[in-house]
């Protein structure tokens, strides 16, 4: 059997085609976008590793410089040094091992039955005061040492079950020895973070729903994907990440002002990929229009979605670090390794590309505009799709999709239609403690999917597309 | 030349790219009745709607409606990984769209990635993985069953995926992944009866922070897998993904005309045909026509649990 291994040069070209040029995808670089996970998901912050970037944990402000050059997935703790608090790379969490020890000891824990019948919650169990703890800290005690001391000085700790002790320890660790995990932003982490912390900004788009939209719309290499994204760019970024540096992503809009797609900038997409993300008003794409219309953007080659005419970015977006906005127009950290001037995603689509879209048709259509009238959107955008191209529409309400599906069936513009409601449940899998999570999200939206077909009954060869 | 996954611009779906000799088309009879057919002038397709000549299809665009000798029709669709999942021959139980799409997203696969899969099964997921890594990445897929590996290889060949997928006969549970993949892999997918046996080898193949996914129908398998994952992996999460479908129905109800209002606006309801849309807005507002939606009565209840984990990054 033939087994291929990518050679070094093939890997580099693979990485290039991946849209990441020579940058090692696994290591944080100067100026890259990162997702900081503080205390196992308690707090999630998007940031950019610029020279002035910092993060505030508790009451300590730490620079993010130590993160540059570290692999994504690295863990950091806050340590106090001579020049103040700083982030220091630390060993991976040991909680995994604790759980294993529990499973070995499970025979023992079953025999000595512990429960909480005699535990009284009156705040007298801990004999260390907050002053004692501060004193320890100023003497240079690490967070882990403080946690050990708290356990030793707790009168009720020994009476707890092993699981309860574990929970107690984790709780104290979060407070006195907070951990910062450096995560790589990707469609999954960006979608999950917004869904968890600010779902209204991304139209309550859940990660399984977004995954299905991408699959149903057959997003892949050489796609010419038409996207109507009113979720801040989450969909455009996800499509672009999946298409890579081939094909095009056309982010379209109605009216004269492009929709804001700033979330795209969190994806760390390379210049090659960003160059493929274009914006075009529907009026330019519509087959009734022959010449591109005048639009509010005067300079077609340097359009940015954050320009004054568009809706202003929400200044109170807590997901972005204070004073270190991802929307900073002075930011020039992209692609420092290749030395290229970074291409901003979302430049105006050049006329020759618009013409090719009209001649060939788009190969995918995704609509994610929960506030808009989905029926009129699909009637306008579906004719821009090539025949046999799939579409997927995300909406929060069932009735408009039902009406839409009916209309498409009656007008014979599409087949294979389905209204789907994705369902997602997460499980806790631990020895003796396996069960679904106590909290569950109840709703991830609806999707209307289908395939555009030619409703012409003529039996000839390729017709003029204008038919 | 088929274009299930385009590996160059000429293969992509387009108004200008007609059906040709040798193409695979998906023949759509009904939403629950489709099949893959390789176009070959001289051949015919016979089904309940009549006899269809392949030669009638050549030169038409994908997405066309084509007619049989007795006036019945079908649609000819361009093949995609989704449609392939619905039409492929099941040699084993397969994965469907909800699991497939969630796996591809959570494995964080992008073009250029190198992915390992075991077992290949019927190649349902493999086809979608190929799309996700294309055009420059690669899927190395392994199955211990020689005949099934062979069938999968034949399917991938027919679908134009051989530059993206390599199928190897190998018992991953017994032997682990080949050493040549160590340290070079962006994602691993396991669909094995005893995935914990493959985890040590997977952990050597994955790059740090890269994602592994294990799919298992039984919770006991999941528990054992998670236990084994804990020594080298972090961020271990287990999910279930399902989909609920809805059906629609139009509802026309008779409206009684109030005598005080005089004659109704527009034509009386009983003259309107059942299945057409109202012709103008005033008819619609007057109309007693609405579309109702309800969940379908049947659904897939369980396929398997999906466990994802990241290879722990060690601090040097």
């Amino acid at each position: 059997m033939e087994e291929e291994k990518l050679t070094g040069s093939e890997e580099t070209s693979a990485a290039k085609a991946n849209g990441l040029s020579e940058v090692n995808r696994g290591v944080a670089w100067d100026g890259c976008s990162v997702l900081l996970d503080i205390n196992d998901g308690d707090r999630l912050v998007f940031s950019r590793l610029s020279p002035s970037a910092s993060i505030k944990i508790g009451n300590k402000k730490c620079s993010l410089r130590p993160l540059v050059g570290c692999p994504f997935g690295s863990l950091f703790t806050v340590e106090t040094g001579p020049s103040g608090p700083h982030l220091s790379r630390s060993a991976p969490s040991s909680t995994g091992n604790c759980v294993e020890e529990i499973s070995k000891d499970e025979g023992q824990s079953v025999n000595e039955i512990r429960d909480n019948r005699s535990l009284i919650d009156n705040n007298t169990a801990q004999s260390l005061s907050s002053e004692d703890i501060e004193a320890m800290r100023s003497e240079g005690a690490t967070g882990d040492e403080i946690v050990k001391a708290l356990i030793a000085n707790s009168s009720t700790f020994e009476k707890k079950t092993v699981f309860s002790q574990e929970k107690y320890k984790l709780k104290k660790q979060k407070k006195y020895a907070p951990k910062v995990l450096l995560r790589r932003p990707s469609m999954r982490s960006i979608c999950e973070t917004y869904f968890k912390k600010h779902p209204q900004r991304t139209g309550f788009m859940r990660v399984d729903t977004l995954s299905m939209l991408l699959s149903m719309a057959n997003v892949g290499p050489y796609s010419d994907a038409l996207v109507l994204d009113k979720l801040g760019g989450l969909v455009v970024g996800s499509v672009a990440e999946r298409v890579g540096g081939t094909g095009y992503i056309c982010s379209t809009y109605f009216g004269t002002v492009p929709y804001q797609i700033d979330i795209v900038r969190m994806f760390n997409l390379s210049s090659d990929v960003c160059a493929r993300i274009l914006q075009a008003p529907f009026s330019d794409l519509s087959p009734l229009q022959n010449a591109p219309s005048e639009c509010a953007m005067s300079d077609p080659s340097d359009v940015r979605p954050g320009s004054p005419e568009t809706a202003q970015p929400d200044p109170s977006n807590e997901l972005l670090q204070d004073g270190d906005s991802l929307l900073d127009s002075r930011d020039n950290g992209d692609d420092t390794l290749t030395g290229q001037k970074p291409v901003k995603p979302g430049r105006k689509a050049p006329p020759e590309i618009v013409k090719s879209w009209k001649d060939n048709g788009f190969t995918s259509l995704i609509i994610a505009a929960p506030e808009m009238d989905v029926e009129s959107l699909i009637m306008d955008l579906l004719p821009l799709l090539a025949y046999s191209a799939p579409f997927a529409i995300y909406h929060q309400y069932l009735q408009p999709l039902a009406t839409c599906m009916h209309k498409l069936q009656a007008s014979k513009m599409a087949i294979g239609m389905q209204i789907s409601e994705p369902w997602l449940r997460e499980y806790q899998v631990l020895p003796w403690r396996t069960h679904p999570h106590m909290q569950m999200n109840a709703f991830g939206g609806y999707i209307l999917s289908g395939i555009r077909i030619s409703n012409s009954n003529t039996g000839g060869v390729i017709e003029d597309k204008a038919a | 030349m088929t274009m299930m996954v385009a590996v160059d611009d000429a293969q992509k779906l387009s108004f200008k790219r007609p059906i040709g000799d040798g193409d695979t088309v998906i023949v759509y009879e009904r939403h629950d009745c489709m099949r893959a057919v390789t176009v070959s002038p001289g051949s015919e397709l016979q089904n309940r709607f009549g006899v269809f000549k392949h030669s009638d299809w050549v030169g038409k665009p994908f997405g066309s409606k084509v007619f049989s000798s007795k006036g019945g029709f079908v649609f000819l669709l361009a093949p995609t990984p989704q449609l392939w999942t619905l039409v492929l021959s099941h040699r084993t139980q397969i994965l469907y769209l909800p699991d497939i799409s969630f796996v591809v997203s959570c494995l964080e696969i992008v073009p250029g990635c190198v992915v390992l899969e075991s077992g290949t099964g019927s190649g349902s997921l493999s086809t979608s993985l190929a799309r996700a890594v294309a055009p420059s990445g690669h899927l190395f897929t392994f199955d211990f069953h020689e005949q099934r590996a062979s069938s999968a290889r034949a399917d991938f060949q027919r679908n134009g995926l051989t530059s993206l997928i390599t199928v190897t006969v190998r018992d991953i549970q017994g032997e682990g992944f080949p050493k040549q993949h160590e340290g070079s892999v962006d994602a691993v997918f396991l669909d094995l009866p005893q995935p914990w046996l493959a985890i040590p080898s997977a952990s050597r193949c994955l790059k740090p922070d890269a994602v592994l996914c294990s799919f298992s129908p039984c919770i006991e398998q999941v528990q054992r897998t998670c236990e084994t994952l804990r020594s080298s992996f972090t961020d271990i999460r287990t999910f279930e993904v399902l989909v609920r479908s809805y059906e629609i129905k139009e509802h026309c109800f008779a409206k009684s005309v109030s005598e005080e209002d005089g004659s109704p606006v527009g034509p009386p309801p009983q003259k309107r045909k059942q299945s057409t849309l109202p012709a103008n807005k005033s008819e619609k507002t007057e109309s007693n026509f609405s579309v109702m939606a309800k969940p379908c009565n049947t659904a897939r209840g369980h396929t398997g649990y999906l466990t994802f984990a990241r290879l722990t990054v060690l601090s040097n």
Side-chain angles (χ1 to χ4, degrees):
Chain A
M1 305 294 153
E2 268 188 58
E3 288 172 334
E4 296 169 2
K5 178 175 160 50
L6 289 182
T7 64
S9 63
E10 276 178 284
E11 266 196 72
T12 313
S13 52
K16 266 194 177 135
N18 191 354
L20 291 164
S21 56
E22 282 89 8
V23 172
N24 181 351
R25 189 173 172 242
V27 173
W29 62 93
D30 193 6
C32 78
S33 146
V34 298
L35 173 58
L36 302 172
D37 180 336
I38 299 146
N39 280 336
D40 289 320
D42 285 355
R43 194 172 142 216
L44 295 161
V45 177
F46 285 106
S47 189
R48 193 171 284 279
L49 298 186
S50 62
S52 60
S54 66
I55 187 159
K56 200 162 181 200
I57 300 181
N59 53 3
K60 299 186 169 66
K61 187 173 172 180
C62 305
S63 162
L64 293 179
R65 291 319 281 166
L67 272 51
V68 176
C70 293
F72 286 107
S74 300
L75 199 60
F76 297 82
T77 48
V78 180
E79 299 298 339
T80 312
S83 46
H86 62 95
L87 287 174
S88 158
R89 187 103 184 262
S90 73
S93 166
S94 58
T95 48
N97 298 336
C98 289
V99 175
E100 275 197 66
E101 283 163 26
I102 291 170
S103 59
K104 280 181 207 150
D105 288 344
E106 67 196 21
Q108 183 193 0
S109 67
V110 166
N111 285 334
E112 27 162 320
I113 297 164
R114 292 184 197 166
D115 54 41
N116 58 6
R117 71 185 87 194
S118 60
L119 292 177
I120 297 166
D121 187 8
N122 57 8
N123 234 13
T124 58
Q126 178 57 248
S127 52
L128 281 183
S129 70
S130 49
E131 290 86 21
D132 293 331
I133 294 168
E134 265 317 301
M136 284 181 73
R137 251 215 256 268
S138 54
E139 281 160 28
T142 63
D144 284 328
E145 285 164 357
I146 293 175
V147 173
K148 278 205 177 76
L150 284 166
I151 289 172
N153 283 280
S154 162
S155 60
T156 49
F157 189 80
E158 289 305 310
K159 292 189 228 152
K160 294 184 195 230
T161 65
V162 177
F163 307 136
S164 191
Q165 288 177 346
E166 181 64 28
K167 256 185 166 166
Y168 179 91
K169 189 172 172 193
L170 282 172
K171 191 172 152 192
K172 296 304 170 193
Q173 275 174 338
K174 283 192 176 185
K175 186 166 178 192
Y176 295 103
K179 299 179 300 189
V180 179
L181 178 65
L182 172 64
R183 286 190 182 277
R184 180 161 54 82
S186 67
M187 169 264 200
R188 177 195 182 184
S189 58
I190 295 170
C191 184
E192 277 193 317
T193 302
Y194 268 97
F195 190 72
K196 194 171 168 181
K197 301 291 179 181
H198 291 287
Q200 67 283 2
R201 293 219 176 110
T202 49
F204 294 86
M205 174 70 77
R206 203 171 63 192
V207 67
D208 58 323
T209 308
L210 181 53
S211 309
M212 281 186 66
L213 287 176
L214 297 173
S215 281
M216 285 167 154
N218 195 31
V219 172
Y222 298 99
S223 282
D224 282 324
L226 178 59
V227 181
L228 191 108
D229 180 345
K230 289 218 85 178
L231 307 186
L234 175 62
V235 180
V236 170
S238 303
V239 172
E241 192 184 60
R242 205 58 87 79
V243 174
T246 58
Y248 285 102
I249 299 92
C250 175
S251 173
T252 191
Y253 53 95
F254 289 83
T256 54
V257 174
Y259 306 142
Q260 191 202 101
I261 51 168
D262 286 306
I263 294 180
V264 174
R265 305 193 56 211
M266 293 177 182
F267 280 79
N268 282 326
L269 301 170
S270 73
S271 261
D272 289 346
V273 177
C274 288
R276 301 271 163 179
I277 301 174
L278 304 173
Q279 292 194 310
F282 172 72
S283 47
D284 281 2
L285 300 173
S286 163
L288 306 169
Q289 186 79 22
N290 285 321
S293 58
E294 284 304 302
C295 130
M297 307 299 140
S298 50
D299 182 357
S301 63
D302 194 23
V303 166
R304 285 192 63 237
S307 52
E309 291 95 324
T310 65
Q312 280 303 323
D314 186 352
S316 67
N317 186 350
E318 304 96 69
L319 281 178
L320 303 176
Q321 264 293 77
D322 303 325
D324 181 39
S325 171
L326 282 173
L327 315 167
D328 189 348
S329 56
R330 291 177 292 117
D331 165 38
N332 58 0
D334 306 343
D335 279 347
T336 45
L337 284 177
T338 59
Q340 293 170 1
K341 182 169 164 47
V343 175
K344 304 288 184 202
R347 63 192 171 96
K348 187 167 162 63
E352 66 274 11
I353 309 253
V354 174
K355 180 173 188 308
S356 111
W357 289 334
K358 286 184 185 178
D359 290 343
N360 293 310
F362 287 98
T363 61
S364 301
L365 168 62
I366 297 180
I367 298 176
E371 305 292 310
M372 293 176 76
D373 173 34
V374 72
E375 204 177 312
S376 66
L377 283 179
I378 193 75
M379 285 299 142
D380 282 334
L381 297 175
L382 197 62
L384 303 178
L385 269 187
Y387 300 128
S388 192
F391 59 89
I393 309 167
Y394 168 74
H395 208 66
Q396 288 276 296
Y397 290 87
L398 181 60
Q399 200 54 40
L401 290 183
T403 312
C404 220
M405 178 168 167
H406 185 267
K407 191 163 182 179
L408 289 172
Q409 274 173 347
S411 59
K412 304 197 203 307
M413 288 174 73
I415 55 169
M417 287 187 284
Q418 167 152 302
I419 296 177
S420 309
E421 184 192 341
W423 189 88
L424 178 70
R425 183 175 230 180
E426 188 168 357
Y427 284 73
Q428 166 182 289
V429 179
L430 291 172
W432 297 99
R433 290 159 286 170
T434 296
H435 57 74
H437 278 194
M438 296 308 209
Q439 301 221 309
M440 176 175 160
N441 172 263
F443 183 55
Y446 299 103
I447 302 175
L448 169 61
S449 59
I451 301 174
R452 186 196 182 194
I453 43 129
S454 163
N455 51 359
S456 157
N457 283 337
T458 63
V461 293
I462 296 276
E463 311 116 326
D464 185 359
K465 190 247 132 212
Chain B
M1 163 68 85
T2 187
M3 359 80 82
M4 187 164 297
V5 174
V7 292
D8 68 60
D9 209 46
Q11 292 181 346
K12 74 175 182 199
L13 181 66
S14 156
F15 287 121
K16 292 184 178 167
R17 200 259 192 233
I19 297 172
D21 181 10
D23 275 340
T24 299
V25 297
I26 306 291
V27 176
Y28 178 103
E29 295 177 25
R30 262 185 6 215
H31 69 277
D32 56 356
C33 186
M34 290 185 274
R35 72 181 95 175
V37 172
T38 304
V39 175
S40 161
S43 295
E44 290 177 341
L45 169 73
Q46 283 200 15
N47 65 19
R48 79 195 81 185
F49 298 125
V51 175
F52 296 83
K53 291 195 185 141
H54 287 205
S55 49
D56 288 342
W57 300 352
V58 174
K60 292 211 169 74
F62 285 94
S64 292
K65 188 173 182 180
V66 293
F67 294 88
S68 73
S69 47
K70 60 179 190 184
F73 64 85
V74 293
F75 291 94
L76 303 177
L77 300 178
T80 64
Q82 273 75 256
L83 291 174
W84 181 249
T85 287
L86 297 172
V87 303
L88 65 84
S89 83
H90 291 209
R91 282 91 62 179
T92 61
Q93 176 62 271
I94 66 167
L95 285 192
Y96 293 92
L97 175 77
D99 289 314
I100 290 172
S101 56
F102 196 62
V103 166
V104 172
S105 293
C106 293
L107 285 178
E108 300 179 0
I109 300 175
V110 294
C113 280
V114 172
V115 180
L116 303 183
E117 174 192 30
S118 181
T120 315
S122 308
S124 171
L125 173 67
S126 320
T127 306
S128 289
L129 290 174
R131 174 181 56 193
V133 304
S136 51
H138 205 82
L139 170 67
F140 296 94
T141 183
F142 303 86
D143 203 286
F144 73 152
H145 195 279
E146 185 145 3
Q147 192 180 34
R148 286 205 284 263
S150 210
S151 301
R153 214 178 274 120
D155 279 346
F156 301 150
Q157 180 132 21
R158 178 195 184 181
N159 292 334
L161 300 173
T162 44
S163 65
L164 296 167
I165 309 181
T166 299
V167 184
T168 304
V169 177
R170 189 178 172 104
D171 172 14
I172 298 298
Q173 280 179 187
E175 301 176 68
F177 291 103
K179 279 206 169 358
Q180 70 195 70
H181 295 296
E182 289 187 0
S184 67
V185 166
D186 298 296
V188 169
F189 179 82
L190 301 174
D191 181 359
L192 296 168
Q194 299 172 296
W196 49 91
L197 297 176
I199 281 163
S201 169
S203 70
R204 289 191 294 273
C205 294
L206 284 165
K207 297 173 182 169
D209 204 43
V211 185
L212 173 144
C213 175
S214 175
F215 173 84
S216 291
C218 302
I219 198 69
E220 295 87 349
Q221 292 168 307
V222 175
Q223 286 178 300
R224 183 96 188 256
T225 302
C226 288
E227 211 178 291
T228 311
L229 283 170
R230 269 175 211 120
S231 49
S232 309
F233 290 80
T234 182
D235 230 9
I236 302 167
R237 298 174 73 181
T238 301
F239 297 90
E240 246 195 315
V241 196
L242 288 171
V243 143
R244 180 183 228 193
S245 301
Y246 286 75
E247 58 192 44
I248 61 168
K249 188 172 150 178
E250 61 172 69
H251 182 219
C252 273
F253 47 92
K255 180 188 162 192
S256 56
V257 177
S258 157
E259 266 131 15
E260 294 95 270
D261 290 349
S263 57
V265 176
Q270 52 271 29
K271 282 197 186 153
R272 201 172 305 124
K273 280 193 278 223
Q274 280 286 347
S275 307
T276 54
L277 292 168
N280 58 53
K281 201 165 194 310
S282 68
E283 271 191 37
K284 195 168 184 176
T285 48
E286 226 14 84
S287 105
N288 1 65
F289 155 89
S290 69
V291 178
M292 312 182 296
K294 76 175 255 298
C296 296
N297 291 344
T298 55
R300 199 163 276 131
H302 178 66
T303 52
Y305 301 98
L306 288 164
T307 300
F308 297 92
R310 310 192 83 100
L311 188 68
T312 307
V313 173
L314 304 168
S315 58
N316 311 17

